[in-house]
Amino acid sequence: MVQVDLEVRGEEGSKMEIDIKKQTDNELIFIVDGVDVPFINAIRRICMMEIPKMAIEDVDIIRNDSTLFDEVLAHRLGLIPITSSTASESIIFASECDCGGHCPKCSASFILKEKGPKVVYSKDLKPEDPDIKPVYDTVPILRLKKNEEVELAAIAQLGIGLEHAKWEPTTACAYKYYPKITVDDNCDSCGMCAEECPRGVLELKKDKIIVVDAENCSMCGTCMRICPTGAIDVGGEEGKFIFRIETDGSLSPQEILTKACEVLSEKTDRIIEFC
Amino acid sequence: MIPIRCISCGKVVSAYYDEYQKRSEDGENPKEILDDLGITRYCCRRMIIAHVEAW
């Protein structure tokens, strides 16, 4: 396998370069160069499906006078993102715990006790551990009319997206080929491609078509179809991708990406051991 | 009640719903509110625009 790589891509074949384009609390956009599709797709799938985070799993409903059914209420609670940065280090999976039920080692609990009339928000969920709390304060959970009451205990556990979507730390997690737009000598500078491009990627300047914003190109091919001389070609650069991770706030995108790399190397180690 | 997350992508759109409703009642342009709140994808935008608080 290594030999083939060297033949195809030379000695520096496995060199990877990463260029961060945008970085916020819950979004990370970067360009990665020098990798192949199986590798980057494995990273994407692990980011979505195999990074542990906290979510409410069990709900003991003591009283629920609201118009929402108990199971709907429990489902809504499960989907509320819960901060998991410390929890993913300190808490273990319930399946690996020998307590048999819930204990502080494998779970975190919340209490909700409210009386109407009011809208109950995620900020009303009282956490047992102040480090493990809902990410957003403003998620409406249920509405209580006058004298209606709700009382429940919710237990959050560690899980992965493979088991249930509530344990997926990413909301948008995707990559696309880095667009490669080439204009050859057949171009007669009619400017139709620049006019038709829905994303403003092309511009006609001094009788020449210039690519002004290649990264914004969605590779829809409108410019190729409209060009009367067939001079423009849109394709992807081999081995170069624009990767985007957006999270629900429970983990930062950097944490997700580094953990995904750890998971992938553990998996490859297991294969090597097996062989 | 508005669904907690966007049905298609999973973004927590419900967290922004109260602010959206307040601002749109004050007469702000829905497009500008959504852009300002960072709800950029059309799957998430329809969750908020199309929602009617039923009870």
Side-chain angles (χ1 to χ4, degrees):
Chain A
M1 202 52 208
V2 177
Q3 260 183 333
V4 174
D5 263 3
L6 286 177
E7 275 171 24
V8 176
R9 297 190 289 189
E11 281 213 278
E12 291 184 23
S14 56
K15 208 173 175 185
M16 190 201 302
E17 273 179 43
I18 294 174
D19 179 19
I20 294 171
K21 280 280 151 197
K22 188 183 171 195
Q23 192 170 6
T24 62
D25 286 347
N26 62 358
E27 197 181 22
L28 177 68
I29 301 172
F30 60 93
I31 293 166
V32 54
D33 194 2
V35 293
D36 52 8
V37 173
F39 174 79
I40 202 77
N41 196 40
I43 292 284
R44 179 188 71 87
R45 292 184 64 141
I46 293 168
C47 284
M48 290 167 76
M49 292 302 179
E50 294 181 57
I51 306 300
K53 69 160 228 170
M54 296 295 282
I56 289 171
E57 168 70 350
D58 288 318
V59 183
D60 291 326
I61 294 171
I62 298 151
R63 188 166 175 184
N64 174 20
D65 298 336
S66 77
T67 41
L68 287 188
F69 294 121
D70 288 355
E71 43 273 68
V72 176
L73 175 57
H75 181 243
R76 287 182 74 83
L77 288 167
L79 289 175
I80 296 169
I82 288 163
T83 50
S84 308
S85 298
T86 54
S88 55
E89 304 298 327
S90 60
I91 286 181
I92 59 169
F93 282 98
S95 56
E96 289 164 9
C97 190
D98 47 18
C99 67
H102 317 296
C103 73
K105 266 201 282 182
C106 65
S107 65
S109 64
F110 298 86
I111 304 280
L112 183 66
K113 192 168 193 260
E114 296 293 332
K115 192 177 175 184
K118 69 179 292 188
V119 177
V120 180
Y121 288 95
S122 50
K123 65 171 185 288
D124 300 320
L125 267 177
K126 297 279 172 285
E128 187 187 41
D129 179 345
D131 285 339
I132 304 171
K133 60 176 180 39
V135 176
Y136 299 94
D137 285 340
T138 52
V139 176
I141 301 170
L142 74 163
R143 177 169 291 138
L144 296 171
K145 293 195 188 100
K146 200 182 172 203
N147 289 329
E148 285 181 345
E149 281 179 51
V150 67
E151 188 179 355
L152 59 85
I155 289 139
Q157 288 178 336
L158 214 55
I160 58 171
L162 273 176
E163 198 177 330
H164 193 290
K166 68 183 174 185
W167 282 305
E168 266 185 46
T170 59
T171 51
C173 182
Y175 63 84
K176 67 172 183 186
Y177 272 110
Y178 195 91
K180 193 162 94 180
I181 305 164
T182 44
V183 183
D184 65 23
D185 295 342
N186 290 330
C187 178
D188 60 1
S189 309
C190 66
M192 277 165 89
C193 51
E195 228 167 84
E196 286 295 316
C197 178
R199 292 197 166 199
V201 174
L202 304 163
E203 244 175 55
L204 184 66
K205 267 186 196 162
K206 288 176 192 165
D207 283 346
K208 251 188 129 180
I209 291 294
I210 297 164
V211 181
V212 281
D213 189 9
E215 283 165 29
N216 197 17
C217 174
S218 69
M219 292 183 230
C220 64
T222 307
C223 50
M224 286 161 70
R225 282 192 296 276
I226 202 82
C227 183
T229 55
I232 192 159
D233 183 59
V234 179
E237 245 176 74
E238 208 53 53
K240 194 172 178 184
F241 303 91
I242 302 175
F243 202 110
R244 175 168 172 214
I245 303 178
E246 189 193 270
T247 79
D248 63 6
S250 49
L251 292 165
S252 74
Q254 292 89 328
E255 280 175 301
I256 292 173
L257 193 61
T258 43
K259 274 182 194 155
C261 295
E262 281 168 29
V263 171
L264 183 62
S265 73
E266 270 169 39
K267 279 173 181 254
T268 46
D269 282 349
R270 244 176 287 152
I271 291 175
I272 292 165
E273 258 173 56
F274 182 74
C275 296
Chain B
M1 305 297 300
I2 185 163
I4 303 265
R5 288 168 182 257
C6 169
I7 289 167
S8 302
C9 74
K11 191 181 173 79
V12 191
V13 286
S14 60
Y16 306 101
Y17 185 64
D18 278 9
E19 190 182 340
Y20 170 82
Q21 219 174 14
K22 199 184 255 173
R23 284 168 68 173
S24 68
E25 272 168 17
D26 291 345
E28 213 174 315
N29 181 354
K31 178 183 181 292
E32 279 158 23
I33 308 171
L34 290 170
D35 287 342
D36 188 42
L37 291 172
I39 299 166
T40 52
R41 287 185 289 276
Y42 56 63
C43 61
C44 308
R45 288 168 93 99
R46 62 93 207 257
M47 295 298 296
I48 285 194
I49 295 168
H51 179 68
V52 177
E53 206 68 345
W55 73 80

